[in-house]
Amino acid sequence: MSSRSSLILLLILLPLWLAASYGVRFALMEDGQWVGLCVDQAQRWECQVRAGLGLLIHFRIIAWISLGAALAAFFVPGRTGWGLALLALLFALPALVLYTASLAVFASVIAGLRLVRQPQSQTEPVAVNA
């Protein structure tokens, strides 16, 4: 897959991932019906997912993962760095939506910068005689 088509695919999938993150936020985390239901029936799998996601949000685990992956991606060359930046962005978008924007905004900027960085050429620098 060429870099242009992978960039187009990325620009299509990221808004869908963002919309899915907002869906989780408003349908599962902020919907009032889950509060009452999970108080009565805490063993339901939906309530377990909601509680686990609440812990991930409280301890900022999603945001720290995205920030760590973005920092690693910025220094790792080649396709591996690009993949790490994509992973960081996939974690940063839900972190932005799910109440941990203070860390995730830095991760998304760093990952975005790494994703659009031009690959370095393999030519040797020319020496300038003074």
Short mmCIF file of all heavy atoms in Angstrom, two decimals, residues 7 19 57 72 77 81 91 102 115 125:
data_model
loop_
_atom_site.label_atom_id
_atom_site.label_comp_id
_atom_site.label_asym_id
_atom_site.label_seq_id
_atom_site.Cartn_x
_atom_site.Cartn_y
_atom_site.Cartn_z
N LEU A 7 -2.42 7.15 3.99
CA LEU A 7 -2.80 8.41 4.61
C LEU A 7 -4.29 8.68 4.40
O LEU A 7 -4.99 9.13 5.32
CB LEU A 7 -1.97 9.57 4.06
CG LEU A 7 -2.20 10.93 4.67
CD1 LEU A 7 -1.86 10.91 6.16
CD2 LEU A 7 -1.40 11.99 3.96
N ALA A 19 -15.70 9.05 16.54
CA ALA A 19 -17.14 8.91 16.75
C ALA A 19 -17.46 7.73 17.66
O ALA A 19 -18.35 7.82 18.52
CB ALA A 19 -17.85 8.74 15.41
N ILE A 57 -9.76 5.55 33.19
CA ILE A 57 -9.87 7.00 33.10
C ILE A 57 -9.31 7.65 34.36
O ILE A 57 -8.55 8.62 34.29
CB ILE A 57 -11.34 7.41 32.89
CG1 ILE A 57 -11.82 6.97 31.52
CG2 ILE A 57 -11.51 8.91 33.06
CD1 ILE A 57 -13.32 7.06 31.35
N ALA A 72 7.99 7.50 22.04
CA ALA A 72 8.82 6.45 21.43
C ALA A 72 8.78 6.56 19.92
O ALA A 72 9.81 6.41 19.25
CB ALA A 72 8.34 5.07 21.89
N PRO A 77 12.94 5.38 13.99
CA PRO A 77 12.85 5.69 12.55
C PRO A 77 12.01 4.65 11.79
O PRO A 77 11.73 3.56 12.27
CB PRO A 77 14.31 5.63 12.10
CG PRO A 77 14.94 4.67 13.04
CD PRO A 77 14.24 4.84 14.35
N GLY A 81 8.37 3.44 13.65
CA GLY A 81 8.00 4.70 14.28
C GLY A 81 6.63 5.18 13.82
O GLY A 81 5.85 5.72 14.60
N PHE A 91 -4.79 5.58 20.80
CA PHE A 91 -5.04 5.69 22.23
C PHE A 91 -5.34 7.12 22.65
O PHE A 91 -6.05 7.36 23.62
CB PHE A 91 -3.84 5.16 23.04
CG PHE A 91 -3.86 3.69 23.27
CD1 PHE A 91 -3.14 2.84 22.45
CD2 PHE A 91 -4.58 3.14 24.31
CE1 PHE A 91 -3.16 1.48 22.64
CE2 PHE A 91 -4.61 1.78 24.52
CZ PHE A 91 -3.89 0.94 23.68
N SER A 102 -5.61 16.52 29.29
CA SER A 102 -4.38 17.23 29.62
C SER A 102 -3.14 16.49 29.12
O SER A 102 -2.18 17.12 28.67
CB SER A 102 -4.29 17.46 31.12
OG SER A 102 -4.32 16.24 31.81
N LEU A 115 3.50 11.31 12.27
CA LEU A 115 2.81 10.71 11.13
C LEU A 115 3.04 11.51 9.84
O LEU A 115 3.09 10.92 8.76
CB LEU A 115 1.32 10.59 11.41
CG LEU A 115 0.91 9.49 12.37
CD1 LEU A 115 -0.57 9.58 12.68
CD2 LEU A 115 1.24 8.12 11.80
N PRO A 125 25.45 13.88 3.57
CA PRO A 125 25.52 15.34 3.49
C PRO A 125 26.76 15.79 2.71
O PRO A 125 27.80 15.13 2.72
CB PRO A 125 25.57 15.78 4.95
CG PRO A 125 26.02 14.58 5.71
CD PRO A 125 25.59 13.38 4.91
#
